[in-house]
Amino acid sequence: MSLYVQVVNNQMAQCQDTPPPVPVGQDGWKNAIEIYPTPIPYRQGLNGPVYECSKDPVEIVWTLYDLDVPTRQVSQLGQNTSQYCQIVNQQMNLEVNNNPDDHYDSAIVAAAQARYEDLRTQINAATTQEELDVTQAELNS
């Protein structure tokens, strides 16, 4: 996809993915390219772009932000809860699905609850990114 930026007073005035109303090179219109950094999974996210208007083509550089430990903890606690609830709901649905061969398995729910509580304890006790990487791997497995 082609990108175009109109530069006015060395700043981005417009950015669009359709050809400008005048040819590139007139009225401050330039071609543009996007540059995406590679975020570290679960540790970084993408911010909005910065426009390098002095370059031709204009570089649209996406920036990164870091996820701190408390933010990652909240995310992991939510993921842990969601996984536990999904197992409980699956088991509850077995009991009410009108199939006489399907039954709620309390052992499956008990194992899921033990996993949930263990991970919740680990997540709440984590103080480093590395500790949260371990719990994230467990959540992803």
Side-chain angles (χ1 to χ4, degrees):
M1 169 177 65
S2 298
L3 293 172
Y4 307 92
V5 172
Q6 184 180 34
V7 178
V8 176
N9 296 326
N10 235 7
Q11 294 191 357
M12 187 276 299
Q14 295 184 65
C15 180
Q16 58 191 51
D17 61 1
T18 57
V22 297
V24 170
Q26 293 182 10
D27 294 339
W29 284 101
K30 295 182 177 184
N31 290 307
I33 58 170
E34 288 184 291
I35 300 172
Y36 287 98
T38 303
I40 300 169
Y42 306 108
R43 288 190 181 200
Q44 293 179 320
L46 285 176
N47 268 332
V50 174
Y51 294 83
E52 299 288 343
C53 294
S54 62
K55 298 186 178 180
D56 196 1
V58 172
E59 291 181 357
I60 304 170
V61 182
W62 290 84
T63 59
L64 297 173
Y65 65 92
D66 293 326
L67 295 168
D68 60 15
V69 168
T71 300
R72 287 188 68 197
Q73 285 174 309
V74 168
S75 176
Q76 287 185 8
L77 289 168
Q79 186 178 358
N80 189 33
T81 299
S82 176
Q83 288 176 358
Y84 172 65
C85 288
Q86 182 179 11
I87 292 168
V88 171
N89 288 335
Q90 286 171 344
Q91 289 302 308
M92 287 174 42
N93 287 333
L94 288 175
E95 192 64 29
V96 297
N97 70 3
N98 295 325
N99 183 343
D101 296 329
D102 290 342
H103 298 286
Y104 178 93
D105 188 335
S106 60
I108 290 174
V109 173
Q113 183 174 359
R115 178 182 184 266
Y116 165 78
E117 290 173 357
D118 180 53
L119 278 169
R120 185 182 63 196
T121 300
Q122 289 177 49
I123 293 165
N124 284 328
T127 59
T128 68
Q129 295 286 357
E130 291 73 18
E131 290 169 329
L132 289 173
D133 290 343
V134 171
T135 54
Q136 187 65 60
E138 178 68 26
L139 287 164
N140 291 347
S141 65

